[in-house]
Amino acid sequence: MKELLNQFLDSSRKMQNVYITVFIVALTLLRITIEIYTSDSDPTLAGYLAGNLLPELSGMIIELFVLLFIIEAIQSSERKRQKELLQTKVLEKQVMLERRLRAQLRFLLRRVFHDVKYGDDEEIITFLFHATEHEKNQHTLDNLKLALSANIESKTFLQNLIKTCESELPLLLSLSPVCSQLSDRHVKAWMSIAFYLNQIVSENEPHNNADKLIGWIAYFDKQTDKQSLFL
């Protein structure tokens, strides 16, 4: 009974109306049959209706109901399969777009912090920034933020930081439409990254803004992990 109810609720509104109509007709025939058997009407007509016509009509209604139910079950299964297929295609597209954006962020990190050593004398060139390595990514980005303090006072580093951010900003902004096909939080992260790049270019508190830049890249990575945008 529960399966029948679930099938009814999952069916389209049009099919639900058909089920209800068939059910009402079946109840009407049943009522007529009972009334004929319990009435004192002409035995010849009553016998014909009760013994021949009504059973035939009742059987046809039941067969129609079962047939409609089977057809709707098949169609419902196909709709579900098509929906799952569509969701899979959407996910695959989002994963592909996320990889493209992630590659740009990896390239950005390597260009901006190419001469920064963090952790145990690690270099950013070795940082792969894979979506499937979320914990490692967060740990590396935290270490990179700590290493900023030791490098930001260098005039050479600061000039390179500003110059690189200036050249990367237009490309990052051009990829905003791509990011819009992911989640709102990815867009928030992407636009924040662009904002802090611009702040660095404007030479406005470069240390503080470089720290926030790394933080928003980490936030982008967190959203990908939360939404499982990787295969």
Side-chain angles (χ1 to χ4, degrees), residues 3-208:
E3 290 297 325
L4 292 175
L5 179 60
N6 289 336
Q7 182 61 44
F8 175 78
L9 295 175
D10 290 339
S11 62
S12 64
R13 182 66 178 174
K14 185 176 180 180
M15 285 305 301
Q16 287 179 353
N17 291 336
V18 172
Y19 288 146
I20 293 171
T21 301
V22 172
F23 183 71
I24 291 173
V25 171
L27 285 180
T28 302
L29 287 175
L30 177 62
R31 180 181 176 182
I32 293 172
T33 302
I34 293 174
E35 287 180 351
I36 289 176
Y37 272 112
T38 57
S39 69
D40 296 327
S41 59
D42 179 43
T44 303
L45 178 61
Y48 174 75
L49 290 173
N52 297 281
L53 185 58
L54 287 178
E56 287 292 332
L57 289 174
S58 300
M60 289 175 59
I61 292 296
I62 293 173
E63 289 175 1
L64 176 63
F65 185 84
V66 172
L67 181 61
L68 289 174
F69 186 84
I70 293 173
I71 292 174
E72 178 60 22
I74 294 173
Q75 291 178 340
S76 177
S77 176
E78 180 62 20
R79 286 195 297 268
K80 184 178 180 180
R81 189 185 71 83
Q82 291 293 336
K83 183 178 179 180
E84 290 175 349
L85 182 61
L86 179 61
Q87 290 175 338
T88 300
K89 288 183 177 180
V90 170
L91 176 60
E92 289 176 348
K93 182 179 180 180
Q94 288 183 322
V95 169
M96 179 190 69
L97 295 176
E98 198 278 344
R99 284 177 180 171
R100 180 182 176 187
L101 297 173
R102 180 174 291 268
Q104 183 57 37
L105 292 179
R106 179 170 58 245
F107 184 69
L108 173 67
L109 287 168
R110 289 179 176 180
R111 287 204 62 197
V112 174
F113 306 108
H114 69 92
D115 54 353
V116 175
K117 292 186 181 296
Y118 60 91
D120 298 326
D121 284 336
E122 294 181 78
E123 295 182 347
I124 198 68
I125 193 67
T126 63
F127 182 37
L128 300 177
F129 198 40
H130 288 158
T132 53
E133 298 177 343
H134 171 64
E135 292 185 6
K136 182 179 179 180
N137 295 339
Q138 296 297 307
H139 180 70
T140 298
L141 292 171
D142 285 341
N143 284 338
L144 187 60
K145 290 172 72 174
L146 292 174
L148 270 178
S149 299
N151 292 269
I152 201 69
E153 300 302 328
S154 168
K155 186 176 181 180
T156 302
F157 174 79
L158 188 56
Q159 289 176 342
N160 175 70
L161 175 67
I162 295 171
K163 183 179 179 181
T164 304
C165 289
E166 186 176 11
S167 64
E168 289 297 312
L169 181 57
L171 179 56
L172 201 80
L173 288 172
S174 70
L175 289 172
S176 297
V178 177
C179 190
S180 66
Q181 298 183 60
L182 302 183
S183 69
D184 291 341
R185 293 187 177 182
H186 279 95
V187 174
K188 178 181 178 181
W190 196 260
M191 298 311 297
S192 296
I193 291 168
F195 172 79
Y196 286 109
L197 280 175
N198 186 61
Q199 290 295 98
I200 294 171
V201 172
S202 302
E203 301 185 36
N204 180 21
E205 299 182 0
H207 184 191
N208 183 45

